Amino acid sequence: MSTQDMSAIYALLRPNSVAVIGAAREPHKIGHQVVKNLLEGGFPPDKIYPVNPYATQILGLKCYPSVKDIPGDVDLAVIVVPASVVPKVLEECAEKGVKAVAIISAGFKEVGNIEAERRLVEIARKGGFRILGPNIVGVCDTVKRVNASFCQALPMPGEIAFITQSGALAIALVGWTRLKRIGLSDLVSIGNKADINETDLMEFFGEDPHTKVITMYIEGVDDGRRFMEVASKVVPKKPVIVLKAGKVERAVSAIRSHTGSLAGSDAAYEAAFKQVGVIRAPTFPDLFDWAIAFAKAPLPKGENVVIVTNGGGAGVMATDAAAQHGIKLMDLPEDLAKKLRYYMPPFGSVLNPVDLTGMAGKEWYKGAIKELLRDDRVHAIVVLYCHTAVTKPREIGDAILEAIRETGVRKTIVASFIGGIECLEECERLIENGVPCYESPEKAMAALGALYRYKRFLDKVGKKTIPEFRVNKVIVETIINKALSEERTVLTPSEAAEVAAAYGIPVLEKPLAKSKDEAVAIADKLGYPVVLEVESPQVVHKTDVGAIILDLKGPEEVRQAYRQIIENVKKHVPSAEIRGVIVRKMMPRGKEVILGATRDPVFGPLIMFGSGGILVELIRDVAFRVAPISVEDAREMIEETKAYKLLKGFRGEPEADIDAVIDALVRLSKLMMDFEEIAEVDINPFFVYEKGKGGLAIDVKIILRPRSKPEE
């Protein structure tokens, strides 16, 4: 983002003066509420300029006929007028030299009025300012006390920025965050995103000294590549947590590959978030639970976590949640265990969770926490407390805060206080004093898990490798051009194999026979057993129509198979063009996996890895990343799947050649980046042999994107 654009967003969120165009005298109108909110939020009254040609005063403030009549500079203009009037008002803003505009007015793209919305952006571009909206709730900034919205009040001040595509959610959030005592730096509703979008705001908050954590509610982004580019720069500086709605896969009837059918739009978002370190929250409460942890707690310096509790059940629940969120519970060294035994009765436990028992009061909690804080081998502490008759939540809260103060050690601590209103109030106090606290052990562990995911991502920043290798682009260009010139969008099996080979993906040779005798001659040369499969652009999934026959052991079987394949294709796909029958060597079976690629409309090429074979869509054991992928990305994809256990050597079997799979995935990624004409690729199965013995693409399918015809 340019310096000018950054300045415009600064003027939008942190203005020194605000004009409300469409200010109203009637209390029930939004134009009245915005002026009232600015005043009640604490913005300087002498810098609030109501604009209404039919009023002289609103809420005690002088009213101006036009924004052009306002004396002095206007940083932000908030527009609350009918959609038909907005273009004229924007032109007046341009004449005035307004730096940024927030358009609350609705009636544009959301109701199909696309051209009118495009016109707004054109006026803004010519006028040299940026637009937020239209169709927004407004802007709430606690730094400058700006409530330029029709939210009921400003949020509490804090260090969490929240960007939302839902205006209703923004309004509800103010009350919810106040109830939970969650502080925000900014709350921004982005509406139709005609100009300023979530990526622009993420970039701004990435540099904002008042914001420690960036949170978002999004339903989609317009430019996935730019989102990833900006996030990759922001995330190493501060965490970005996103609640992405809409997990249902898109229904696209044209998808003809396994990869395409498995790659719903949500898979692309999931892959993109993982690659750039954006943390995805599954629910709205999780979004802010985790944001509190990031805002209040330091990141852990290592993996060793210790749980301290007064209830065995709470400890068990936390242990289960630790496994779910990838948290390592430390085996306590004997010297540390000996120190902790001093703070519990003989029947207490130092097995981690450390169970101080229900007898534990302030001093036992405080002593145990101090020992854990002082021990450098302990990297994070989870304090669980179940409200008992012998203790008060306030005392245990004091134990945590005093232990931190008296040791002077700043270490990752999260807490969970389980009980009624007293526990809730103590949780709020702990949060205000820098200790994230939650109402259940599971929530505490989930928040700690988010901290660890972020830490592990930061540890990998700058360590990605995309190798250079020689490829033959000319062969691929020739094959693609030939197919498209024939108005074909599906490469034949032999063409697809040539494309894979040109990019160094190990693939089975596929000589073509035009007759039964030629098929026998090729089989005799290759050596038995062999496989026969049809060569036809129209037959993609050959197994489904009997167009592939395996394990043929002699000339007569080859003749019969040749005849049977031709008959099956003519019966099941009568319109198919049969170019012959491929004869290939029956290779020894390896571990079966699938490699694939498809082209997402938002993020571009997606690379897939998963368990292969005919049940791939049923098993759905797959992982995705956005191309270009690195060696490290490819390895992570493999490790995310159940297929990884198989490749590592399941039940005593030898380890497979995982490096060969990684190499093939990175090469497939390069192929997709080099040729936009390729829509989808399936390599299924890809046989993976023992470690050091490589892999082999047995069946390759490639689907092209049809060239758009020139307009007449």
Side-chain angles (χ1 to χ4, degrees):
M1 192 191 303
S2 69
T3 305
Q4 183 181 358
D5 287 339
M6 196 69 87
S7 298
I9 294 179
Y10 188 87
L12 172 78
L13 300 178
R14 309 279 158 75
N16 291 317
S17 55
V18 181
V20 182
I21 305 172
R25 286 168 292 193
E26 300 86 351
H28 66 278
K29 291 189 175 179
I30 290 174
H32 181 90
Q33 189 64 50
V34 173
V35 177
K36 185 169 181 267
N37 278 351
L38 283 165
L39 284 167
E40 292 181 352
F43 197 75
D46 61 329
K47 295 296 182 182
I48 304 171
Y49 305 120
V51 176
N52 185 330
Y54 306 107
T56 57
Q57 196 178 77
I58 292 176
L59 290 169
L61 301 176
K62 181 181 177 181
C63 211
Y64 297 89
S66 164
V67 70
K68 295 187 293 181
D69 299 315
I70 296 171
D73 295 336
V74 175
D75 283 349
L76 170 62
V78 182
I79 297 179
V80 199
V81 298
S84 59
V85 186
V86 174
K88 179 178 181 295
V89 169
L90 279 186
E91 286 170 350
E92 291 176 352
C93 287
E95 289 182 51
K96 175 63 182 172
V98 171
K99 295 174 185 172
V101 173
I103 305 176
I104 291 177
S105 311
F108 294 93
K109 185 170 64 180
E110 80 280 5
V111 295
N113 207 349
I114 296 170
E115 192 53 46
E117 187 165 300
R118 192 177 295 123
R119 173 71 181 135
L120 304 185
V121 179
E122 288 174 4
I123 296 169
R125 292 279 187 271
K126 289 179 183 176
F129 58 85
R130 299 293 303 270
I131 291 174
L132 181 70
N135 189 30
I136 64 170
V137 167
V139 176
C140 294
D141 168 62
T142 65
V143 178
K144 284 285 190 75
R145 309 299 301 170
V146 181
N147 187 359
S149 75
F150 56 96
C151 292
Q152 62 270 43
L154 267 178
M156 290 176 57
E159 298 172 304
I160 302 168
F162 182 58
I163 304 159
T164 174
Q165 287 184 8
S166 167
L169 193 59
I171 296 170
L173 185 72
V174 172
W176 187 83
T177 54
R178 280 180 165 271
L179 180 68
K180 293 283 186 177
R181 303 190 68 77
I182 298 168
L184 303 181
S185 58
D186 292 84
L187 169 60
V188 190
S189 154
I190 55 179
N192 293 6
K193 303 191 292 180
D195 181 19
I196 293 171
N197 58 30
E198 63 287 319
T199 305
D200 297 319
L201 292 166
M202 174 171 58
E203 191 168 7
F204 172 83
F205 289 123
E207 300 295 331
D208 177 38
H210 302 284
T211 299
K212 284 182 69 174
V213 188
I214 302 165
T215 60
M216 298 185 199
Y217 168 81
I218 61 173
E219 290 156 10
V221 299
D222 299 320
D223 185 343
R225 308 297 287 195
R226 181 169 176 259
F227 179 91
M228 292 182 70
E229 180 187 340
V230 171
S232 66
K233 295 173 183 174
V234 171
V235 168
K237 292 183 282 189
K238 57 187 72 172
V240 177
I241 311 172
V242 172
L243 175 59
K244 162 68 176 68
K247 293 186 177 182
V248 178
E249 292 177 0
R250 69 189 189 279
V252 180
S253 58
I255 289 173
R256 286 178 286 175
S257 71
H258 290 302
T259 311
S261 66
L262 290 164
S265 60
D266 194 66
Y269 281 95
E270 187 77 17
F273 292 160
K274 285 178 182 175
Q275 275 171 272
V276 296
V278 166
I279 298 163
R280 186 174 188 178
T283 67
F284 184 64
D286 286 327
L287 182 75
F288 284 98
D289 281 349
W290 300 357
I292 289 169
F294 281 107
K296 300 296 181 181
L299 287 179
K301 293 180 179 176
E303 295 285 335
N304 291 335
V305 178
V306 177
I307 299 171
V308 179
T309 181
N310 69 341
V316 171
M317 288 189 287
T319 301
D320 287 344
Q324 180 185 347
H325 295 289
I327 295 169
K328 178 190 171 187
L329 296 186
M330 177 187 187
D331 293 327
L332 296 188
E334 185 51 41
D335 62 315
L336 178 57
K338 184 177 180 181
K339 292 175 183 176
L340 292 174
R341 285 192 183 98
Y342 182 77
Y343 304 103
M344 64 181 68
F347 51 87
S349 171
V350 290
L351 292 177
N352 196 12
V354 176
D355 188 355
L356 304 179
T357 77
M359 296 170 60
K362 175 183 175 181
E363 294 307 317
W364 283 3
Y365 263 105
K366 179 178 171 181
I369 294 167
K370 286 174 75 172
E371 295 294 352
L372 296 172
L373 284 170
R374 290 189 182 116
D375 195 310
D376 290 340
R377 295 168 296 184
V378 178
H379 303 124
I381 304 166
V382 180
V383 181
L384 307 179
Y385 167 70
C386 300
H387 195 178
T388 68
V390 297
T391 54
K392 292 186 180 299
R394 178 81 179 210
E395 295 171 352
I396 308 306
D398 284 341
I400 298 171
L401 297 175
E402 288 174 18
I404 294 169
R405 186 168 64 250
E406 290 173 16
T407 59
V409 176
R410 183 157 166 74
K411 193 175 282 189
T412 310
I413 299 181
V414 298
S416 173
F417 278 42
I418 307 157
I421 187 66
E422 287 181 80
C423 285
L424 179 63
E425 289 172 350
E426 190 53 29
C427 259
E428 290 174 355
R429 187 176 78 99
L430 284 170
I431 290 169
E432 288 174 359
N433 285 276
V435 178
C437 187
Y438 306 94
E439 60 265 36
S440 73
E442 292 90 346
K443 281 178 171 284
M445 300 308 283
L448 182 59
L451 292 176
Y452 267 109
R453 285 202 299 282
Y454 183 59
K455 177 199 176 296
R456 289 166 191 150
F457 178 82
L458 293 184
D459 289 343
K460 295 183 295 186
V461 169
K463 297 179 181 177
K464 292 197 172 184
T465 311
I466 299 181
E468 293 288 331
F469 36 71
R470 295 178 65 183
V471 298
N472 195 331
K473 292 179 73 171
V474 174
I475 286 178
V476 179
E477 285 171 357
T478 303
I479 292 170
I480 289 174
N481 288 337
K482 180 176 183 292
L484 291 178
S485 69
E486 296 171 359
E487 297 188 345
R488 287 191 289 119
T489 57
V490 180
L491 297 187
T492 65
S494 57
E495 288 173 333
E498 276 192 82
V499 168
Y503 268 67
I505 298 169
V507 64
L508 201 58
E509 252 190 283
K510 295 194 171 184
L512 186 65
K514 297 291 183 75
S515 67
K516 286 180 282 187
D517 290 341
E518 192 176 355
V520 169
I522 293 170
D524 289 343
K525 184 179 178 182
L526 291 174
Y528 295 94
V530 295
V531 176
L532 265 61
E533 59 181 289
V534 76
E535 172 87 343
S536 171
Q538 289 76 34
V539 182
V540 180
H541 296 301
K542 295 181 280 292
T543 305
D544 296 347
V545 296
I548 180 169
I549 299 177
L550 310 177
D551 202 19
L552 304 169
K553 296 182 174 65
E556 191 51 42
E557 288 186 20
V558 169
R559 292 179 192 278
Q560 290 176 4
Y562 189 102
R563 182 173 59 253
Q564 188 63 54
I565 285 172
I566 301 296
E567 288 175 2
N568 289 345
V569 172
K570 286 181 177 178
K571 177 182 176 182
H572 295 292
V573 195
S575 61
E577 175 197 359
I578 299 174
R579 298 189 171 189
V581 174
I582 289 168
V583 184
R584 60 176 171 84
K585 181 74 175 166
M586 184 81 178
M587 299 301 295
R589 298 186 79 85
K591 301 288 194 303
E592 289 191 22
V593 298
I594 181 172
L595 316 183
T598 188
R599 209 166 284 276
D600 184 79
V602 175
F603 292 97
L606 273 184
I607 308 303
M608 183 185 82
F609 170 81
S611 297
I614 61 172
L615 300 179
V616 58
E617 289 184 44
L618 178 65
I619 297 171
R620 304 181 73 83
D621 176 35
V622 292
F624 290 88
R625 290 295 185 275
V626 178
I629 67 168
S630 66
V631 168
E632 292 77 13
D633 290 327
R635 188 174 295 278
E636 282 180 9
M637 289 170 70
I638 296 168
E639 290 175 356
E640 282 176 19
T641 65
K642 294 182 180 72
Y644 176 63
K645 290 183 179 178
L646 189 67
L647 296 177
K648 283 295 288 182
F650 189 63
R651 291 191 173 180
E653 290 189 354
E655 184 176 345
D657 200 333
I658 294 173
D659 287 340
V661 183
I662 291 170
D663 182 68
L665 285 168
V666 175
R667 289 174 181 274
L668 178 58
S669 168
K670 180 169 176 55
L671 174 66
M672 291 298 288
M673 291 300 292
D674 286 351
F675 291 94
E676 289 189 356
E677 298 93 334
I678 298 177
E680 298 172 33
V681 177
D682 262 7
I683 302 174
N684 181 37
F686 184 91
F687 284 172
V688 192
Y689 299 113
E690 286 184 29
K691 190 172 183 178
K693 295 185 178 178
L696 190 65
I698 303 301
D699 190 14
V700 182
K701 299 181 184 73
I702 297 179
I703 300 171
L704 306 177
R705 299 199 289 183
R707 283 185 179 143
S708 55
K709 295 180 180 179
E711 295 182 11
E712 295 181 0

